[in-house]
Amino acid sequence: MKISYNWLKQFIHLDWEADKTAELLTDLGLEVESVETFESVKGGLKGIVVGHVLECEQHPNADRLKLTKVDIGAAEPLQIVCGAPNVAAGQKVPVATIGTTLYDDKGEAWQIKKGKIRGEESFGMICAEDELGLGKSHDGIMVLDESLEPGTLCAELFKVENDVVFEIGLTPNRADAMSHHGVARDLKAGLLQKEISQELITPSVSSFHVDNRTLRMEVDVKDKELCPRYCGISISGVKVQESPDWIKNRLKAIGITPKNNIVDITNYVIHELGQPLHAFDANKISGNKVVVKTLEKGTKFTTLDEVERELHEDDLMICDADKPLCIAGVLGGENSGVTENTTNIFLESAYFNPVSVRKTAKRHNLNTDASFRFERGIDINNTRYALLRAALLIKEVAGGTISSDAEDFYPKKFEDFQVFLTFEKVNSLIGQNIPTDTIKSILSSLEIKINNVTETGIGLTIPSYRVDVQREVDVIEEILRVYGYNNIAFTQKLNASIASTSKFEDHKLQNVVGNQLAALGFYEILANSLTTPKYMELSNDNKSTFDVTMLNPLSNDLSVMRQSMLFSGLEALSYNINRRSGSLKFFEFGKTYHNYESGRIENKHLSILITGDQHSESWRLKNEKSDFFFLKGIINITLERLGLDIPKSEPVTSDVFSEGLNYKLKKKKIVSFGIVNKRILKHFDIKQEVLYADFEWDAIIELAKEQHVSFSEISKFPEVKRDLALLVDKSTSFEEIYNLAKNSEKSLLKDVNLFDVYEGDKLPEGKKSYAVSFTLQDEKKTLTDKQIDKVMRKLQGSFEHQLGATLR
């Protein structure tokens, strides 16, 4: 939010430097993120002076150029070449001197330099109004009043306004500070703590009076819950034209482009007082009747941005006797606003339900200055005052007469919040004893009414504009921010307690696994739990559940909670692949959300995504593509790191994989992994193979708690390795060989490893060759050749009889 310092000074007389004021605002909780300068004319007309054209002759070398002598109040007149058709001797004109910076219509700067034009020297430039930023005309140079003295600074002549603009990072709870008046109110309280007493100047509306009652509008509020207060007034005979400079400069300083005097005043008041207003062309209101109500679902309505929208049955609308005119609190209609032909207006000032406005604005993807304020909660007691303030400004700037009473629909008055503040609670939360008189002074400076004071605390009434202050702790926060966080003393002693926690806490196991994966070259990602319902159509895995939908989604693409970790991960892969990063290894800890008939359930997962090469490019390594077995190895060492045994695998049933496996331990599925189906990858425009693993993290935590780590002494006796080249059926897996070997020799066999697989035309049809190594060790003595040969014959016999294997 932008705040003009000059505008702020209309409410509180302050001659501080801007940086000092910015510091105080930040201390008060209105964090100033940047401080910028503003000039009503870009460049501030620096270097532009009044010149008197003494001579004007035809340029000797150009038909369309003139050679002039111009007096700018210096010792000698300047020779200036000018191409304007209206330049003539005797004129008073604006002159840009050497070194002056001017700006083109795109805001690009360029500098006036001494030069030669068609052989004649030129020492400046006689300017048109568009070259100075004073208008749009370029028909010729500006001709100034003849009475002006040469050398007069044009910055003084045209009253260039210089301002300082604060960019405030306003937090959502500070609805009271969404205006210059609100910021000035906070600034006054902060100054009082520095023993600087300032009066808060509020614009007077005492001169308001009704001129006639010839254009009365009947107001009928059908929905009192969504519109607790509605005010309106009619003004006849206005003249829609350009706003005066003082209004335009205020609006331009905070980044608003002026349109016309009526619209500019509504914008002026919203940023002055924080109350949104809307001006209707009264001649376009059928039946002289304003009706506030909801309409049927699907009703078509075209807004000011020329977009036709379908209304929701909960959208509150401002209508006349026949048609809708405006989406209440959000945006006006295309055919009801003020135009250059408008002569009569109906001015609206209302309080709309914040939740209703927010839902409507999000539903139609609209964000306006009005909705921004209504959503956060405005001051319901400021509604009529802001209306009268705007009406008086319109009379002053656009003429016209007040042609109706100020209608004020307010059937049920809002009661201010009552809070009892205890001194003990103040001191315990702040951590420092603040004198009672200081507390009372701060509360009074914030316009919080003190009803009674006892030994234990204070009874308070919170003003209506502080919609975020409803509890005792909220009041304490107000006291602290005005007292000053920097004024709270810190002790040198630090007290801390050490909690006894299990090593199997979720976050600890996440750190263990996360550190291991990071050491293996993985990057952790954190995806949004909100996603599009379209992703659920890519898989049949979650067809038995319903979407967990958002009641008030940010957009259609973020309207449901995710039921799978895969799709958000593929979004991250696709984003990086499209930026020429094709070798990726990601992991994510997150949740999925499911809506069963029995109720909603959240499940914790660890997902792993791999694509591209196994390692980064290097001259030392021969790179290989990541494949299914690389993924399986990552999964195995992850489970081993958690102390879990590698379970027996079984084929995966999920249709997100083209091929894959499930691991189950104690009848619990702990991980599904495999190659992602190309049909799914195509949806994300991914053309390379993607490997995916989905760990059931909740089940893994429970199983990890049951594991007991045992330690054994390292054997003093050597290991022995023997190899076998086995000719087996193509259907035989290494897992079968591994399990058979382990079951055949349980005491001496320590490890079984597959180091080569051969399938070629030199082998019998339907056969393949496995080269398998066996590690043998006796932990009590050194193995003899006799023992080793015995074990190997035993293993060979098992393979021959049970698997039909033969030695090559």
Side-chain angles (χ1 to χ4, degrees):
M1 185 184 73
K2 292 186 175 182
I3 294 294
S4 156
Y5 200 19
N6 287 349
W7 201 342
L8 202 59
K9 289 177 182 178
Q10 292 180 201
F11 297 96
I12 185 168
H13 293 312
L14 192 63
D15 56 1
W16 275 11
E17 294 179 356
D19 289 344
K20 198 173 179 181
T21 303
E23 184 179 342
L24 178 55
L25 288 173
T26 299
D27 289 343
L28 289 167
L30 302 177
E31 182 182 359
V32 177
E33 297 177 338
S34 66
V35 179
E36 302 173 350
T37 57
F38 167 78
E39 296 168 323
S40 58
V41 178
K42 193 171 181 65
L45 297 182
K46 294 183 180 71
I48 312 296
V49 297
V50 174
H52 183 201
V53 182
L54 302 176
E55 300 176 11
C56 181
E57 300 175 353
Q58 185 66 44
H59 192 293
N61 303 317
D63 294 338
R64 296 185 179 182
L65 298 179
K66 300 289 178 62
L67 198 60
T68 66
K69 296 284 186 182
V70 183
D71 176 14
I72 62 167
E76 296 290 334
L78 301 179
Q79 177 172 290
I80 298 175
V81 177
C82 180
N86 64 328
V87 65
Q91 293 174 335
K92 297 292 177 66
V93 293
V95 177
T97 55
I98 301 297
T100 299
T101 299
L102 297 178
Y103 298 85
D104 61 22
D105 55 356
K106 295 180 180 178
E108 298 292 332
W110 56 286
Q111 195 175 57
I112 301 296
K113 298 178 181 179
K114 175 185 174 182
K116 277 191 176 183
I117 302 176
R118 292 291 183 92
E120 296 292 337
E121 289 186 319
S122 184
F123 296 90
M125 175 178 170
I126 304 175
C127 301
E129 65 176 38
D130 67 329
E131 293 165 333
L132 299 178
L134 296 173
K136 297 181 180 180
S137 174
H138 194 71
D139 295 336
I141 59 169
M142 288 186 72
V143 179
L144 306 177
D145 191 285
E146 293 181 357
S147 62
L148 295 174
E149 288 293 325
T152 302
L153 297 178
C154 286
E156 297 175 359
L157 179 64
F158 292 102
K159 297 180 181 178
V160 176
E161 181 170 341
N162 296 304
D163 199 355
V164 175
V165 180
F166 304 120
E167 180 75 42
I168 294 179
L170 195 67
T171 52
N173 63 309
R174 292 303 308 276
D176 63 296
M178 292 188 296
S179 66
H180 286 75
H181 182 263
V183 173
R185 189 166 48 205
D186 251 26
L187 195 57
K188 171 179 173 288
L191 289 169
L192 191 61
Q193 279 303 109
K194 296 183 178 294
E195 299 182 350
I196 302 174
S197 181
Q198 287 283 355
E199 179 186 358
L200 183 65
I201 303 167
T202 303
S204 173
V205 295
S206 59
S207 61
F208 175 83
H209 66 278
V210 178
D211 297 309
N212 56 65
R213 293 177 175 81
T214 58
L215 191 58
R216 181 178 178 275
M217 294 287 174
E218 180 186 350
V219 173
D220 182 11
V221 178
K222 300 287 188 184
D223 197 322
K224 301 174 180 60
E225 293 296 324
L226 300 184
C227 180
R229 189 173 191 182
Y230 189 93
C231 301
I233 198 168
S234 299
I235 306 174
S236 302
V238 298
K239 185 177 181 180
V240 178
Q241 57 188 0
E242 190 176 333
S243 296
D245 288 341
W246 65 270
I247 288 183
K248 290 194 293 185
N249 289 341
R250 291 287 177 265
L251 295 179
K252 287 193 288 187
I254 60 174
I256 296 176
T257 303
K259 295 179 180 178
N260 59 59
N261 49 7
I262 305 298
V263 174
D264 290 349
I265 286 171
T266 61
N267 284 329
Y268 183 91
V269 172
I270 190 175
H271 289 279
E272 179 186 50
L273 303 176
Q275 171 65 50
L277 304 171
H278 190 73
F280 297 92
D281 188 326
N283 295 341
K284 297 177 182 177
I285 300 177
S286 300
N288 282 7
K289 186 174 184 179
V290 174
V291 184
V292 184
K293 62 181 181 179
T294 57
L295 298 176
E296 291 182 2
K297 182 178 181 179
T299 301
K300 305 289 186 182
F301 180 68
T302 303
T303 46
L304 277 173
D305 55 4
E306 299 181 351
V307 175
E308 185 180 74
R309 305 176 188 276
E310 283 194 10
L311 300 178
H312 188 272
E313 64 266 25
D314 294 331
D315 292 338
L316 188 65
M317 301 295 295
I318 311 299
C319 308
D320 61 18
D322 301 325
K323 61 187 181 298
L325 302 173
C326 173
I327 302 178
V330 182
L331 191 62
E334 181 183 35
N335 299 317
S336 64
V338 173
T339 67
E340 59 184 11
N341 299 318
T342 298
T343 55
N344 303 321
I345 65 169
F346 175 73
L347 191 62
E348 167 196 278
S349 177
Y351 178 94
F352 300 116
N353 182 281
V355 175
S356 171
V357 172
R358 181 176 183 274
K359 287 183 177 181
T360 296
K362 296 299 180 186
R363 196 178 290 129
H364 296 291
N365 196 26
L366 291 169
N367 183 23
T368 61
D369 279 343
S371 67
F372 178 81
R373 285 158 176 78
F374 280 126
E375 288 172 17
R376 287 155 179 77
I378 61 171
D379 182 7
I380 194 170
N381 291 329
N382 199 38
T383 306
R384 189 174 189 275
Y385 166 71
L387 178 70
L388 302 186
R389 166 68 170 160
L392 289 174
L393 284 174
I394 289 173
K395 281 192 68 174
E396 175 187 342
V397 170
T401 57
I402 305 297
S403 300
S404 75
D405 292 310
E407 298 286 343
D408 189 359
F409 173 85
Y410 193 16
K412 185 178 180 181
K413 183 175 172 56
F414 275 32
E415 297 295 331
D416 292 336
F417 291 109
Q418 305 292 321
V419 175
F420 187 79
L421 178 70
T422 59
F423 298 129
E424 181 182 1
K425 187 72 169 178
V426 173
N427 297 330
S428 66
L429 279 183
I430 293 177
Q432 181 173 312
N433 290 337
I434 298 179
T436 302
D437 288 343
T438 302
I439 292 174
K440 290 162 63 178
S441 173
I442 291 173
L443 294 173
S444 297
S445 69
L446 293 171
E447 299 182 10
I448 297 176
K449 183 180 178 182
I450 298 174
N451 300 323
N452 55 76
V453 181
T454 67
E455 291 183 0
T456 59
I458 310 175
L460 304 170
T461 298
I462 310 300
S464 57
Y465 61 81
R466 289 313 305 268
V467 294
D468 61 317
V469 180
Q470 301 180 15
R471 305 167 298 169
E472 185 181 15
V473 291
D474 297 329
V475 178
I476 295 172
E477 182 184 2
E478 292 300 295
I479 294 170
L480 181 56
R481 72 179 182 84
V482 176
Y483 182 75
Y485 292 98
N486 296 331
N487 295 325
I488 303 299
F490 292 90
T491 63
Q492 299 299 316
K493 183 180 178 183
L494 178 65
N495 296 322
S497 59
I498 300 175
S500 175
T501 59
S502 167
K503 66 179 180 179
F504 297 108
E505 292 286 337
D506 187 355
H507 69 278
K508 290 187 177 181
L509 292 182
Q510 284 191 42
N511 285 338
V512 167
V513 172
N515 288 338
Q516 175 170 289
L517 291 172
L520 293 170
F522 282 79
Y523 289 93
E524 184 172 10
I525 62 173
L526 184 62
N528 198 336
S529 294
L530 294 173
T531 187
T532 171
K534 295 178 181 178
Y535 286 162
M536 295 304 103
E537 300 171 4
L538 300 177
S539 169
N540 294 318
D541 287 359
N542 296 295
K543 293 301 181 183
S544 60
T545 71
F546 303 98
D547 290 334
V548 180
T549 58
M550 304 298 294
L551 294 177
N552 188 22
L554 296 172
S555 69
N556 291 331
D557 289 336
L558 297 172
S559 60
V560 300
M561 306 294 283
R562 64 180 174 184
Q563 295 189 42
S564 170
M565 302 278 286
L566 173 63
F567 306 119
S568 52
L570 290 176
E571 286 180 345
L573 284 184
S574 177
Y575 182 89
N576 284 272
I577 290 170
N578 289 338
R579 283 152 184 80
R580 303 179 67 82
S581 180
S583 297
L584 303 163
K585 289 185 281 188
F586 290 157
F587 74 94
E588 179 187 7
F589 291 97
K591 290 183 177 181
T592 58
Y593 306 84
H594 308 272
N595 187 7
Y596 297 97
E597 291 184 357
S598 57
R600 296 188 178 99
I601 293 177
E602 294 182 11
N603 293 326
K604 191 74 173 284
H605 295 261
L606 162 64
S607 67
I608 288 178
L609 286 154
I610 302 173
T611 189
D613 295 333
Q614 293 184 18
H615 310 287
S616 17
E617 190 175 3
S618 171
W619 65 273
R620 297 179 59 208
L621 296 173
K622 180 183 178 183
N623 223 331
E624 296 181 4
K625 291 289 183 184
S626 301
D627 57 13
F628 177 85
F629 297 102
F630 178 72
L631 172 65
K632 186 178 180 182
I634 297 294
I635 293 167
N636 288 349
I637 61 175
T638 301
L639 296 177
E640 288 172 351
R641 182 64 183 86
L642 294 169
L644 300 178
D645 296 327
I646 305 302
K648 187 175 181 180
S649 61
E650 60 182 40
V652 75
T653 56
S654 171
D655 65 347
V656 302
F657 300 107
S658 58
E659 53 183 291
L661 294 174
N662 283 333
Y663 274 170
K664 283 188 176 180
L665 201 58
K666 295 186 178 180
K667 297 183 178 180
K668 293 181 180 179
K669 187 177 77 171
I670 57 173
V671 59
S672 300
F673 60 98
I675 302 171
V676 179
N677 199 310
K678 289 184 178 179
R679 171 181 53 82
I680 294 176
L681 297 181
K682 184 178 180 181
H683 182 84
F684 294 89
D685 196 27
I686 298 175
K687 298 178 177 61
Q688 59 194 65
E689 187 175 82
V690 174
L691 305 164
Y692 172 62
D694 181 22
F695 291 79
E696 301 287 344
W697 189 250
D698 292 323
I700 287 175
I701 291 176
E702 293 303 315
L703 291 169
K705 292 178 181 178
E706 300 173 7
Q707 301 303 309
H708 299 285
V709 179
S710 59
F711 299 89
S712 59
E713 187 177 339
I714 297 175
S715 177
K716 301 176 183 178
F717 303 98
E719 296 178 344
V720 176
K721 283 192 175 182
R722 292 288 186 271
D723 301 336
L724 291 177
L726 300 173
L727 190 64
V728 297
D729 293 335
K730 280 192 174 182
S731 60
T732 302
S733 67
F734 170 69
E735 184 177 20
E736 293 177 275
I737 295 174
Y738 181 92
N739 293 333
L740 182 55
K742 284 286 190 178
N743 291 330
S744 299
E745 178 55 54
K746 296 182 179 180
S747 59
L748 299 180
L749 184 61
K750 301 300 180 184
D751 191 23
V752 183
N753 181 49
L754 176 66
F755 63 88
D756 187 39
V757 178
Y758 175 71
E759 296 181 62
D761 53 6
K762 296 181 180 180
L763 297 180
E765 187 176 351
K767 297 290 184 177
K768 62 183 175 182
S769 174
Y770 277 157
V772 186
S773 67
F774 302 88
T775 303
L776 307 175
Q777 185 184 42
D778 190 333
E779 296 179 357
K780 296 180 180 179
K781 61 183 178 180
T782 301
L783 289 172
T784 64
D785 289 340
K786 186 177 180 180
Q787 288 176 298
I788 295 168
D789 292 340
K790 182 181 178 181
V791 170
M792 294 307 296
R793 284 194 299 271
K794 184 179 178 182
L795 291 174
Q796 182 181 339
S798 297
F799 297 147
E800 289 175 350
H801 289 99
Q802 297 191 38
L803 298 178
T806 59
L807 293 182
R808 287 188 64 198

